[in-house]
Amino acid sequence: MFKHVDQMRKIAFRIMAKTFGARRKDTGENFYDQYPLRDLVHLLCFEDADEAREACCHYNITVREVPSAGSGSGSGSDPSTAPSDSSTEEIIFWRHADFKEPIDPAKGTVKILRPRKMIRTI
């Protein structure tokens, strides 16, 4: 399975880049444009947010830090399980960039994004 992870993630990024950020026919307004990076970590089995951010950068997908919606609004939340910086969250903006596979200028071939060693249990 490990040898197919890079291909699976590439296909998932391509599909998500096409489907997320679609526009409404009547108003032309974007919807489903924002997607939390932490959800992508779990969805595509990345080791951590750094690896997911590197993959987004590799495929030309925009990731930005934005203020968290509802930070501090959890009644009875455990501070030991809360993230250390709850004021910002990394969000993927699908409509602000097009999916592209990087090309090696010397060889003219597609650069492959190798996954890190999968230590986390799926």
Side-chain angles (χ1 to χ4, degrees):
M1 181 180 128
F2 183 70
K3 66 180 180 178
H4 301 291
V5 170
D6 59 334
Q7 187 70 15
M8 179 262 319
R9 288 177 179 165
K10 179 175 80 170
I11 292 169
F13 270 113
R14 185 181 311 133
I15 291 170
M16 291 173 86
K18 272 187 185 177
T19 56
F20 282 98
R23 296 175 185 252
R24 296 185 188 273
K25 282 187 174 182
D26 54 350
T27 63
E29 174 186 339
N30 287 345
F31 62 102
Y32 298 128
D33 181 36
Q34 299 178 3
Y35 194 82
L37 186 68
R38 63 180 154 70
D39 291 349
L40 187 73
V41 170
H42 296 293
L43 183 70
L44 297 181
C45 299
F46 287 108
E47 289 295 315
D48 53 15
D50 292 334
E51 185 182 14
R53 193 178 315 104
E54 288 172 13
C56 288
C57 181
H58 181 81
Y59 292 119
N60 196 36
I61 305 296
T62 304
V63 177
R64 294 187 192 141
E65 285 190 13
V66 297
S68 292
S71 62
S73 66
S75 62
S77 64
D78 184 10
S80 64
T81 60
S84 60
D85 184 17
S86 61
S87 62
T88 63
E89 183 178 16
E90 290 182 301
I91 302 290
I92 300 169
F93 290 91
W94 297 102
R95 276 288 152 204
H96 294 274
D98 292 327
F99 174 85
K100 279 195 263 184
E101 293 182 74
I103 307 280
D104 186 356
K107 297 179 183 177
T109 59
V110 175
K111 289 183 183 178
I112 296 174
L113 178 66
R114 299 277 181 212
R116 292 184 191 164
K117 185 70 177 167
M118 298 181 89
I119 299 169
R120 196 170 62 104
T121 306
I122 296 175

